[in-house]
Amino acid sequence: MFIHRIKTPGLAQNSYVVGSGTVAAVIDPRRDSEIYIDIARQEGVAITGIFETHRNEDLVSGAPDLARRTGAPVHHGAQLDFGYGEPAREGDSFTFGDCRLRVLETPGHTPESLSFVLDDTATDAEAVAVFTGDCLFVQSVGRTDLHPAGPQTAAEQLYASIHDKLLPLGDQALIYPAHGSGSVCGGGLAKRDDSTIGLERRHNPLLACSREDFVAAKCAEHPLHPPYFRLMEQYNKDGAPPLPHLPLPRPVGPTAFAEQMERGMQAVDLRSPEAAAGAVVPGALCIPVSLITAYAGFLLDPARPIGLIGAEVDDGGIAAAIASFSRIGFDQLGYELAGGMRSWETAGRDFTRLPSCHISELLNDETGERLVVDVRPQDEWRSGHLPQAQHVFLGDLPAAADSLPHDRELVTFCGSGHRAIIAASILADAGFDRVTCCLGSMAACKARGCELVKA
Amino acid sequence: MFIHRIKTPGLAQNSYVVGSGTVAAVIDPRRDSEIYIDIARQEGVAITGIFETHRNEDLVSGAPDLARRTGAPVHHGAQLDFGYGEPAREGDSFTFGDCRLRVLETPGHTPESLSFVLDDTATDAEAVAVFTGDCLFVQSVGRTDLHPAGPQTAAEQLYASIHDKLLPLGDQALIYPAHGSGSVCGGGLAKRDDSTIGLERRHNPLLACSREDFVAAKCAEHPLHPPYFRLMEQYNKDGAPPLPHLPLPRPVGPTAFAEQMERGMQAVDLRSPEAAAGAVVPGALCIPVSLITAYAGFLLDPARPIGLIGAEVDDGGIAAAIASFSRIGFDQLGYELAGGMRSWETAGRDFTRLPSCHISELLNDETGERLVVDVRPQDEWRSGHLPQAQHVFLGDLPAAADSLPHDRELVTFCGSGHRAIIAASILADAGFDRVTCCLGSMAACKARGCELVKA
Amino acid sequence: MFIHRIKTPGLAQNSYVVGSGTVAAVIDPRRDSEIYIDIARQEGVAITGIFETHRNEDLVSGAPDLARRTGAPVHHGAQLDFGYGEPAREGDSFTFGDCRLRVLETPGHTPESLSFVLDDTATDAEAVAVFTGDCLFVQSVGRTDLHPAGPQTAAEQLYASIHDKLLPLGDQALIYPAHGSGSVCGGGLAKRDDSTIGLERRHNPLLACSREDFVAAKCAEHPLHPPYFRLMEQYNKDGAPPLPHLPLPRPVGPTAFAEQMERGMQAVDLRSPEAAAGAVVPGALCIPVSLITAYAGFLLDPARPIGLIGAEVDDGGIAAAIASFSRIGFDQLGYELAGGMRSWETAGRDFTRLPSCHISELLNDETGERLVVDVRPQDEWRSGHLPQAQHVFLGDLPAAADSLPHDRELVTFCGSGHRAIIAASILADAGFDRVTCCLGSMAACKARGCELVKA
Amino acid sequence: MFIHRIKTPGLAQNSYVVGSGTVAAVIDPRRDSEIYIDIARQEGVAITGIFETHRNEDLVSGAPDLARRTGAPVHHGAQLDFGYGEPAREGDSFTFGDCRLRVLETPGHTPESLSFVLDDTATDAEAVAVFTGDCLFVQSVGRTDLHPAGPQTAAEQLYASIHDKLLPLGDQALIYPAHGSGSVCGGGLAKRDDSTIGLERRHNPLLACSREDFVAAKCAEHPLHPPYFRLMEQYNKDGAPPLPHLPLPRPVGPTAFAEQMERGMQAVDLRSPEAAAGAVVPGALCIPVSLITAYAGFLLDPARPIGLIGAEVDDGGIAAAIASFSRIGFDQLGYELAGGMRSWETAGRDFTRLPSCHISELLNDETGERLVVDVRPQDEWRSGHLPQAQHVFLGDLPAAADSLPHDRELVTFCGSGHRAIIAASILADAGFDRVTCCLGSMAACKARGCELVKA
């Protein structure tokens, strides 16, 4: 028996290939599904089953495509009327090689959520592991705000699923969740990938709560809900269209790129926050590549074309951006700036700048001239922020920019500076003249031992 | 100004990206055209023109796809009514950056064949180079048997194109042909890639001929003409369908693979000739990957599905085979044997063997029991063969197998052993019990100084 | 906290990088230690500690080199007088970021063996995991035949280490052993990488034994003991020399390669068992790449130069062989055959062949003409073999060949055919004329349901 | 016959592998010589000869190492008493496969400079090509200021070598020079790699000159002469030490990195000029990776350790920097900042900034407050500069900084902004408070059609 975890950056999503002998199953495949075929080739196995723990809302499922490519059936929860695949129910089990996958119905995150218990028939080892989907994470649990029956019901279901279905599997069981640290599908996920039922039972803070406290805690959360979730929900219910083969962004020079911007193309600058201090195409939105899946859904219109701006030296940013956009269903990639930002500069075109500041400059700001705009989500803000800061969540910033003062320097602020540069580019585009991005942000505050306010 | 040569193995085809400043042109793109976009990205240029020297008959042109992806227009000869692109005529010129491409009409290989002269406007250097398509190769010239007006007319046109259009460009001009050594589009191409008009004028054996001798020599040639050429000609006239995204071959185990073979799937074994001596799936056709583009067109039916058998350790064979098949329009790749040939063996299934022999064994065969079947094309056979050998061209072998004796050991023989293993697998499948493949073949004969018969 | 497992093929050795924040530790580094620096670079951490669970005997430790490259101290058991590093003792602990490594003395495999318990100080989760070295494996335990006090004492120590030190850590604790499936350091390791104390407590067959049965079972084992272990033991006690930078094998043609063989170079053919049926350089020893680390130590002399023979198409075999040899301290790589086996053939040189057979041919051998020589280690042989087979362990075959009959066809036989081809090449070189390699071997027997004899 | 050109970025150096059949020669190998072995492996050839056109002064020759690794002899000019290899003289020739290399003595760049004429013995093609070393480049010729007899004598020798030895080879001959565009070994090299004797005879501006004008033009040049050239000259005369295997830079956190800086480590920031506007470690020298080989020799001390600072997302900068430094003999790479610049920011440490400006800001500077400091080499400056600019060559800037005014804003300026950021970091470290880097620089001026002053 072998188990491969495939981590998809940005989305912090985990999919798995579980195999034995000459066959394998894939759990929660992503849209760009070539990787599963490659693993099957390396392992010398055929993919004979595809399992989905739940209808995803934060990414396009690759199950329909992978089913077409492998001929393998797709199995998912019976509580949703999917447009593809077959319903699986509590007690169903699927055996391949030494592996047996047993279905547990574990609603909570969504009504149709399943977990799959993995037994090793070669060693009689029942409950070697459990694929927990968005039910149980390392040090966290799934979000409950997307359930059609409302967060209260969802949280109650989730509590029951964890305590009545998962924990009884025993401390020894490994857990393989659908997300890791950095996902929008849960808060406080540990960076560590590996865990067990026993570790979660003892140390997961939400599992130590009483049922009432658990439900209250879940109902008090404010996870991100980008508008593109609606598209994902439809895609993943009905079966998304195959990954488009053509067109991919075409490299063009500064003049053609600028013309497309005038015609409505959304320019996205993929470079580092530091580089934005040097030069930015006027009107471009800065989104570091790793944040595309989290924030493009808030800030970009999937129906309008997108143009990409990368670094002069290829750091893989364009390719990673293409993959990230396609995983969340943004397929309108029209252009990229050939030669990256430097070609804009050497063409003699004007550019703007999004200057930086460091934490000492904030702390030593005795004039009060600077207004710190903290753009982190509410849960992060509440866990600790600078006393003088004002909170505007990044997803709300385009709409809320009007309420910010024009006569002060606005210092955008987040966890370490990446979301702050997105915010800075939004504010600059909204007409604010004095915008500065705090590189280091909260990480630097903590390293310096700054005094923070909670809640 | 920069010039990149992209060599496509198997087809021995050359395409080129020529650029300057922020723009570039692509000459004779192949079907899997991602590589041109990647080069454009690395060089920081936009692709603004696509040029085809002629309607290809040995591969699927990537011009339509690349035009869709880049928005660049396609230019090709006016003497054929293409279903896409724009006609270019003698004297037309296209300037981008420091590059100027001037059109020469150079018929002969086909009526609409063009060559493109490259000038460097920065140095006033006229005729820096010429893209010669299938007109002039390094140490050879294009084939003339495919011209609709017949080989005589074609050869006369080709002679005039070379002597009246290309040679006058001057000895200094570099030549960039559409094919290199190993192509079926010409005989005797040098392995060396780089050459000049001056080198060809002095040392190309066909350029030293009189007009009459040139025409006679060309009319006496017998280049390969695989059946799939007809499909290519139609594809490249009308514009081929985009490269299919789905499905690619799916890895399956021996049982499923065998079932597909029973239903008509053509199994292709991609491994080395040596490995075929150890084990071959009964009924499989052995075609080393590098020979797919040359011989699949003779031996396989593009309308029936194909199943691939690779090595246990991935040597890139499956991926290379997929690319090779797609470049010649064979898109029906259905399955691959998961785990390669070894999974067939460990499943306990019977296999056949195609044993080898070395050249000493042929030379010391005093009984005359062995019949050497030399499967090389006629031109190679004529240039030197073993006295006791019988000639049957590989492309004709399936039809001609009946004429071979069943009471002797058949030793398949070619240039070095690769085509011989294809032949051996054909004969074994045709019911011959004693088939041996001569590894080393003619290369070994020459190294040993064997006596050879010419013509 | 993050944990990376680095699997070294062939040796089936696991090393680990455990990090948190900006620092990391490496556990049981291998000799080619660049990979740990690369991981540190990707994770943005400094390597500040190196931990060895025990003095390895099957590979060259990379700890001295990595210490030189990183400046990090090496920690290992106090019960051996190492020539480098610092002794660590039960109760010592090392904290970096959120990680705490606590030292357990777990003798048995060797006297100085340590395990390292990993705590996550961020979650107060004691015993998140334990790095078990060669004490506890997934579904197996470490070998006890190398302990200087003898197997009885070793097994008693090992039992105590597992039951008194490891199991009390709790079912929830993940285990990270130093070896996986395929290692010579233990028998019956599961292919699955992930496990927990709880899974092992319930399902590891050796943990269900009483103390007496455990000791008896361990003392009855016959693990492989290649001669090169002695060199490893000395290297890893004193600190091995740095990985040599020069020379690596130089590509040379068949003539030069043959000359070196005459001067004593040991030729090693890295290709597949199937390919050996087609052509083998006379006198070469066939060792598929994946078996170098396991069998080179038995069959080759580290003091004499080695020449490598690969496939015509590079499948990574040469590079993998270089890495494999260097990991076990064979640094005398002199030559490789340029162009692989094919260059030998096209040079017109004679070659030998090691023909194959399949399992049907064995089963249908009514004449009894064939003698099956099963070369698997004793423990595998005892777990099931063909009734008519004769057992000679591969490592003993060079010495035992004389006892085999010359008047029968010898069919070499192993688990799937890889070791059988090594055996076939040994026998052919020893002068046996009729040697055949059973491709599929025991795997094919089991797939076919053949009757087997146990013990 | 095949010819591979290996382009080494930064140095713009070309080396070549020329082969035929089963053997090959390497021309002008660089220090990291693994690439030649890899090419030999792919082509299936043995390297049997190493040829050096001259003793290099801008890079460490790999000839001694490659000779050790391959056993091939090194051939170089007889006019210098090399500490390794064998002298070759006019008229010597070396035949391997179909290749014949004939030696021409072509002094001028150095007294011992050779060119190697390549004949193709298979086609009777004399002078297929010539490896011209630093004698003749595409659109330029070698520098003459390093010759021990002085530039006048050198230029006279060079003129004779070109006109009496190279041009007579005929227009048809391809040229393969030792450098391409961007090298410090000649001015005005074309970006195009391919050329011929005929193209150079007609269009190389220096070949159209009379002997007198040629000599005068060469004597008026001012090529760069970094101090490290002396070390290279000695290394390449005596044979450089092998590439060091240990240590490579070790990743460490901000605190350890800062401590090393205090102890004298030279910190080099490899990121883009744009990123330096966001954040720079105080005291670090900014050198974009592509400029290390050109400017490290001016600005860094090879005897003191170097610490590297890269981007957060690995863009290959660290690996490219290591290769670049080693190619010019800087082997004291001590540390790298783990996690790149971002780890400095999130550690809450203060940073400096090197702000940017664009060309409009320069042109609209009516106050005259800004002083443009143009740091390009003299020849570039003379070919066109802004009227208001002051010229200080980058290599001279550390010494000349004192002469610049502290009461004006200094705007560093070069060809496109890369050298300007080096200059900006030097000036900031020298205590200038208001330093700005003009991104786009002269390229932007030209694109905008700015008025320029020549000479």
Side-chain angles (χ1 to χ4, degrees), chain D residues 299-315:
Chain D
L299 303 171
L300 296 170
D301 179 353
R304 280 168 53 206
I306 290 171
L308 303 177
I309 302 167
E312 177 192 3
V313 176
D314 183 26
D315 59 357

Side-chain angles (χ1 to χ4, degrees), chain D residues 216-303:
Chain D
K218 292 304 291 178
C219 290
E221 288 179 349
H222 295 81
L224 302 188
H225 194 161
Y228 85 98
F229 274 21
R230 282 191 299 274
L231 180 62
M232 296 302 97
E233 287 164 356
Q234 184 187 330
Y235 268 14
N236 293 335
K237 181 174 175 300
D238 299 340
L243 197 58
H245 184 58
L246 292 167
L248 287 178
R250 53 176 81 159
V252 294
T255 305
F257 196 85
E259 283 170 7
Q260 293 297 329
M261 287 181 70
E262 282 164 23
R263 292 183 201 160
M265 182 180 74
Q266 306 165 92
V268 176
D269 188 326
L270 307 167
R271 296 171 308 140
S272 67
E274 293 86 357
V280 174
V281 167
L285 181 69
C286 294
I287 311 186
V289 176
S290 61
L291 294 179
I292 287 173
T293 47
Y295 289 100
F298 283 105
L299 303 171
L300 296 170
D301 179 353

Side-chain angles (χ1 to χ4, degrees), chain D residues 72-104:
Chain D
V74 179
H75 307 280
H76 36 209
Q79 305 307 317
L80 184 69
D81 186 24
F82 284 91
Y84 65 98
E86 304 164 7
R89 292 187 177 79
E90 180 102 8
D92 287 353
S93 77
F94 302 86
T95 300
F96 47 99
D98 293 339
C99 301
R100 181 172 56 229
L101 285 180
R102 284 185 284 131
V103 176
L104 295 182

Side-chain angles (χ1 to χ4, degrees), chain C residues 253-294:
Chain C
T255 304
F257 196 85
E259 282 171 7
Q260 294 297 329
M261 287 181 71
E262 282 165 22
R263 291 183 202 160
M265 182 179 74
Q266 306 165 93
V268 176
D269 188 325
L270 307 167
R271 297 172 307 139
S272 67
E274 292 87 357
V280 173
V281 168
L285 181 69
C286 294
I287 311 186
V289 177
S290 61
L291 294 179
I292 288 173
T293 47

Side-chain angles (χ1 to χ4, degrees), chain A residues 27-105:
Chain A
I27 309 210
D28 288 330
R30 69 184 186 201
R31 196 184 191 192
D32 41 332
S33 61
E34 187 78 33
I35 195 168
Y36 309 109
I37 306 282
D38 287 345
I39 289 172
R41 181 172 296 143
Q42 287 158 23
E43 292 283 353
V45 296
I47 295 171
T48 56
I50 301 168
F51 294 82
E52 293 198 290
T53 55
H54 64 295
R55 188 260 311 266
N56 279 285
E57 58 286 313
D58 59 327
L59 73 157
V60 180
S61 166
D65 249 27
L66 191 61
R68 273 188 288 265
R69 295 185 63 168
T70 61
V74 179
H75 307 282
H76 36 209
Q79 305 307 317
L80 184 69
D81 185 24
F82 283 92
Y84 65 98
E86 303 164 10
R89 291 185 178 80
E90 181 100 9
D92 288 352
S93 77
F94 303 86
T95 300
F96 47 100
D98 292 340
C99 301
R100 181 172 56 229
L101 285 180
R102 283 186 285 130
V103 176
L104 294 182
E105 295 182 353

